[in-house]
Amino acid sequence: MAGIKEIRTKIKSVQNTRKITKAMEMVAASKMRKAQDRMRAGRPYATKVREIAAHLMQAHPDYSHPYMQERPVRAVGIVVVSTDKGLCGGLNTNIMRLVLARLKEFEQQGIKVQATALGNKGLGTLTRIGANLVSQETQLGDKPNLERLIGAIKVQIDDFVDGKIDAIYLATNRFVNTMKQDPSFIRLLPLPSGLADPFQSAPEESGEVVKSTYGWDYIYEPDSKTVIDDLLMRYVEGLVYQAVAENMASEQSARMVAMKAASDNAKKVIGDLQLVYNKTRQAAITKEISEIVGGAAAV
């Protein structure tokens, strides 16, 4: 009977685990819808800022903003966007595998790298490999806070403007659908000449270039240079916000799928254990009956 008691304990343990994974699946499903709505709500803002900035730069081709200046690459900055918590499948593993591959490529080319970690999982990996961390931000919560994000990113942006680094790359998970999230390594700075949308194209490739269809110029207040400077700053901030929003939507989708798979596996394990329990219990009962019959026959 000791075997039966052990199996019963295992069944109870797996049932308790299934309750937890089922609850986490439902919570992730609820958060996923909110995260996806937040992600989609940020896209029109970034699109409109990008269009206006592109039109202004086409109207003033003589002005070159520091964010647009291409330089020979000798040092780069990498911003790694990850999650604060685990239990979301291979989401963090995939993005960190991509980051480590790019770090190896930069090392082989003799390019120095400094990193910024947004999220606890990425921070842990970068710390373990001894990366040059210049800033970090963890415990981002379920809703991206632009002020906290810009505080961590500003270190990299200032180094780019000062010429200490020649490019900034953004590593994040791009949300495709509930079942698919693509790890992406996109260039944040310098901005492409046509201000292509990096989230609508393959990593490190230009998307559709914004072309102006207007035949007139804008009226500026106070002047065109100040307006372009502010717009490009807002555009870069919008890209960072969008990257974190995409990663959060990917996180909740991946967690929902992972917890559903865990719940289904737990149900299967419970069924298998229940079958073993019934067989073991039946064998024990049969053995007891045989012993009783044998004892009665001996008497």
Side-chain angles (χ1 to χ4, degrees), residues 96-203:
M96 292 313 302
R97 185 182 293 117
L98 176 61
V99 170
L100 293 176
R102 295 306 171 93
L103 286 175
K104 186 176 180 181
E105 291 178 7
F106 288 136
E107 183 181 355
Q108 292 173 348
Q109 297 171 9
I111 298 175
K112 297 180 180 179
V113 179
Q114 62 184 40
T116 293
L118 299 179
N120 194 49
K121 293 299 181 180
L123 174 62
T125 303
L126 292 173
T127 302
R128 282 195 300 272
I129 65 175
N132 179 22
L133 275 170
V134 295
S135 60
Q136 64 189 54
E137 189 66 50
T138 58
Q139 304 303 323
L140 301 176
D142 298 325
K143 183 178 180 181
N145 186 316
L146 187 58
E147 292 182 0
R148 293 179 60 191
L149 298 177
I150 294 305
I153 297 296
K154 193 174 187 301
V155 177
Q156 299 271 27
I157 295 178
D158 290 345
D159 285 348
F160 175 81
V161 174
D162 295 339
K164 296 180 181 178
I165 57 177
D166 305 302
I168 301 177
Y169 291 92
L170 193 60
T172 186
N173 288 286
R174 186 166 59 94
F175 180 83
V176 180
N177 54 48
T178 304
M179 301 299 296
K180 184 179 180 182
Q181 301 85 35
D182 285 343
S184 302
F185 196 82
I186 62 179
R187 193 178 73 176
L188 181 64
L189 292 176
L191 296 171
S193 58
L195 294 184
D197 185 357
F199 294 105
Q200 300 300 322
S201 58

Side-chain angles (χ1 to χ4, degrees), residues 10-298:
K10 288 183 178 179
I11 292 175
K12 186 66 175 177
S13 176
V14 177
Q15 285 175 339
N16 291 336
T17 301
R18 185 171 183 269
K19 290 179 182 178
I20 296 173
T21 56
K22 193 67 179 176
M24 292 183 68
E25 176 191 345
M26 296 174 66
V27 171
S30 174
K31 290 183 177 180
M32 179 188 69
R33 287 188 286 270
K34 296 178 182 178
Q36 290 180 5
D37 292 342
R38 193 178 300 115
M39 174 195 67
R40 295 189 179 99
R43 287 176 176 173
Y45 171 81
T47 299
K48 183 55 65 176
V49 172
R50 183 172 65 255
E51 289 177 354
I52 295 176
H55 298 158
L56 291 179
M57 288 187 296
Q58 289 171 14
H60 298 81
D62 55 324
Y63 176 59
S64 178
H65 191 273
Y67 289 178
M68 309 289 291
Q69 294 175 0
E70 298 276 354
R71 298 192 292 261
V73 179
R74 294 181 297 271
V76 300
I78 297 179
V79 180
V80 181
V81 183
S82 64
T83 68
D84 286 314
K85 301 177 182 178
L87 298 178
C88 51
L91 191 73
N92 291 308
T93 302
N94 293 335
I95 190 63
M96 292 313 302
R97 185 182 293 117
L98 176 61
V99 170
L100 293 176
R102 295 306 171 93
L103 286 175
K104 186 176 180 181
E105 291 178 7
F106 288 136
E107 183 181 355
Q108 292 173 348
Q109 297 171 9
I111 298 175
K112 297 180 180 179
V113 179
Q114 62 184 40
T116 293
L118 299 179
N120 194 49
K121 293 299 181 180
L123 174 62
T125 303
L126 292 173
T127 302
R128 282 195 300 272
I129 65 175
N132 179 22
L133 275 170
V134 295
S135 60
Q136 64 189 54
E137 189 66 50
T138 58
Q139 304 303 323
L140 301 176
D142 298 325
K143 183 178 180 181
N145 186 316
L146 187 58
E147 292 182 0
R148 293 179 60 191
L149 298 177
I150 294 305
I153 297 296
K154 193 174 187 301
V155 177
Q156 299 271 27
I157 295 178
D158 290 345
D159 285 348
F160 175 81
V161 174
D162 295 339
K164 296 180 181 178
I165 57 177
D166 305 302
I168 301 177
Y169 291 92
L170 193 60
T172 186
N173 288 286
R174 186 166 59 94
F175 180 83
V176 180
N177 54 48
T178 304
M179 301 299 296
K180 184 179 180 182
Q181 301 85 35
D182 285 343
S184 302
F185 196 82
I186 62 179
R187 193 178 73 176
L188 181 64
L189 292 176
L191 296 171
S193 58
L195 294 184
D197 185 357
F199 294 105
Q200 300 300 322
S201 58
E204 288 196 288
E205 293 179 5
S206 298
E208 271 189 37
V209 174
V210 180
K211 294 183 179 179
S212 175
T213 57
Y214 302 120
W216 62 84
D217 199 358
Y218 293 92
I219 298 176
Y220 305 98
E221 179 66 35
D223 57 76
S224 59
K225 178 179 178 297
T226 303
V227 173
I228 292 176
D229 290 347
D230 288 345
L231 274 176
L232 289 182
M233 173 60 75
R234 296 293 175 268
Y235 177 55
V236 171
E237 292 176 355
L239 286 180
V240 175
Y241 179 91
Q242 189 68 24
V244 176
E246 297 257 352
N247 192 76
M248 287 183 174
S250 300
E251 174 188 1
Q252 299 303 335
S253 300
R255 180 169 290 118
M256 185 194 70
V257 173
M259 291 301 101
K260 184 179 187 307
S263 300
D264 293 343
N265 290 338
K267 183 178 180 181
K268 182 178 181 297
V269 171
I270 291 171
D272 295 340
L273 288 174
Q274 192 70 49
L275 183 60
V276 173
Y277 172 78
N278 292 337
K279 288 182 178 179
T280 305
R281 185 168 178 270
Q282 183 179 11
I285 294 173
T286 303
K287 182 181 179 181
E288 290 180 1
I289 293 175
S290 299
E291 291 175 352
I292 293 172
V293 171

